Amino acid sequence: MAAVAAAITGCSTTTTNLFFKGCTAPFLRSCRRRSNITGLNLINNHRSSVPSAGGGKLTPLLLPPRSPLCLVPNSRNNTARRLQLLLCYCTESSNTAAVTTTKSESESESEEKGIKEAANSLDIRVGRIVKAWRHEEADSLYVEEVDIGEAEPRTICSGLVKYTPLHLLQDRNVIVLANLKARNMRGVKSFGMLMAASDAAHENVELLVPPEGAVPGERVWFGSVDEKDNLPDAASPNQIQKKKIWELVQPHLRTDEAGVATLDMIHQMRTSAGPVISQSLYNANIS
């Protein structure tokens, strides 16, 4: 986001169009809100080349392919995590025709709203692992009993053996996706999923962490503090499966540059005690 903001700042005040390659529409709208250039159009361009806009001058701006700005060092293991490549161009036009986009602004905003509503129909809860052990029939799986505020703990299987030592799971606070359909995992029925951040290569996986003071069973949401009391009812497991709600929402979940879990890098994942975080994986996928 900081690099994109710098790109926008680098455009002159007469810039009318700023083309990006490889961004989502909500990300571009967030950039526009940070810009003080009047009449600036931010356009997502998925093709390898950026077309000329009505004869306007097309000027490459910042972040060429494989720019060092696209790499962020991982302080823990000195490896580099490749972030989304952003290719930016700005145009200045004299007698330019209006630039058309594949989706109108209102359509994009409607899509963003729909994804947020879908995300808040997920029954995401604060949980606490009360017991964890190795799955007897699967080397890569742990089995956990997780308190999410119900009469009995949930049994959940998670593929964390490669990433998290067993003793670090005991009595740990976690984030649980609770309205998935139960799955039989090598003879053990799993009633939910522990949510975690992972790097692009899936070599590092880290459980999401609720803030101190969050209570097991509390529902987690995406948005502002004020939106807590206006959440939709959680969808049933059958609805989640039939409408593929998790498949729709998951690609939009990431941690930001501070490690805060977000939807589309705009809406924070929240509890009443504060935002949910990953302790060391930044700009990472969430699943």
Side-chain angles (χ1 to χ4, degrees):
M1 178 70 75
V4 176
I8 293 175
T9 303
C11 284
S12 70
T13 55
T14 58
T15 293
T16 56
N17 305 299
L18 185 59
F19 291 90
F20 286 80
K21 180 175 182 288
C23 298
T24 63
F27 183 79
L28 294 184
R29 282 195 295 278
S30 177
C31 292
R32 179 188 286 122
R33 287 194 290 269
R34 296 178 180 222
S35 168
N36 52 13
I37 300 177
T38 304
L40 177 66
N41 294 315
L42 295 176
I43 301 169
N44 194 10
N45 182 75
H46 290 286
R47 290 173 288 187
S48 58
S49 62
V50 178
S52 175
K57 182 181 178 183
L58 195 63
T59 308
L61 175 69
L62 204 63
L63 295 180
R66 304 186 184 282
S67 164
L69 290 174
C70 298
L71 296 176
V72 173
N74 185 323
S75 59
R76 287 204 167 191
N77 57 18
N78 295 322
T79 60
R81 296 194 306 278
R82 184 174 297 279
L83 299 181
Q84 185 180 39
L85 286 177
L86 301 176
L87 192 56
C88 312
Y89 298 83
C90 63
T91 67
E92 296 181 12
S93 58
S94 51
N95 299 319
T96 59
V99 178
T100 59
T101 60
T102 55
K103 286 187 178 181
S104 68
E105 182 71 15
S106 61
E107 287 174 328
S108 296
E109 289 179 355
S110 177
E111 179 183 352
E112 179 185 348
K113 182 180 179 181
I115 291 170
K116 185 181 177 185
E117 288 177 352
N120 279 328
S121 73
L122 297 172
D123 189 9
I124 303 175
R125 305 279 191 93
V126 176
R128 184 173 183 82
I129 299 174
V130 296
K131 184 179 179 182
W133 63 96
R134 292 286 294 266
H135 194 301
E136 293 181 357
E137 302 296 331
D139 292 340
S140 64
L141 296 179
Y142 289 130
V143 184
E144 302 97 7
E145 289 183 356
V146 187
D147 175 12
I148 61 167
E150 298 174 332
E152 298 291 335
R154 290 268 187 119
T155 298
I156 296 176
C157 295
S158 57
L160 295 170
V161 171
K162 181 180 175 182
Y163 309 105
T164 306
L166 181 59
H167 72 277
L168 294 181
L169 292 180
Q170 310 293 344
D171 297 318
R172 181 167 181 163
N173 291 334
V174 291
I175 299 297
V176 178
L177 178 53
N179 57 343
L180 296 175
K181 290 196 79 170
R183 294 178 58 194
N184 193 316
M185 302 184 73
R186 295 288 190 91
V188 176
K189 209 160 191 178
S190 180
F191 296 89
M193 182 179 75
L194 304 186
M195 298 187 71
S198 63
D199 59 19
H202 210 72
E203 293 176 350
N204 298 286
V205 176
E206 182 177 274
L207 287 170
L208 295 182
V209 181
E212 186 175 351
V215 179
E218 179 183 354
R219 192 169 170 192
V220 178
W221 76 96
F222 296 94
S224 66
V225 174
D226 297 337
E227 293 176 85
K228 177 185 176 182
D229 296 327
N230 297 306
L231 297 176
D233 292 336
S236 69
N238 282 334
Q239 288 173 321
I240 294 292
Q241 183 181 62
K242 184 176 180 180
K243 297 181 179 181
K244 299 187 181 298
I245 294 175
W246 173 240
E247 289 82 357
L248 171 67
V249 172
Q250 189 277 322
H252 297 266
L253 301 180
R254 291 186 66 83
T255 60
D256 64 15
E257 57 193 13
V260 176
T262 72
L263 178 74
D264 280 326
M265 304 293 277
I266 299 173
H267 310 290
Q268 291 187 342
M269 179 187 279
R270 289 186 175 275
T271 74
S272 60
V276 175
I277 67 166
S278 169
Q279 290 180 321
S280 65
L281 293 180
Y282 314 120
N283 298 295
N285 300 319
I286 294 174
S287 60

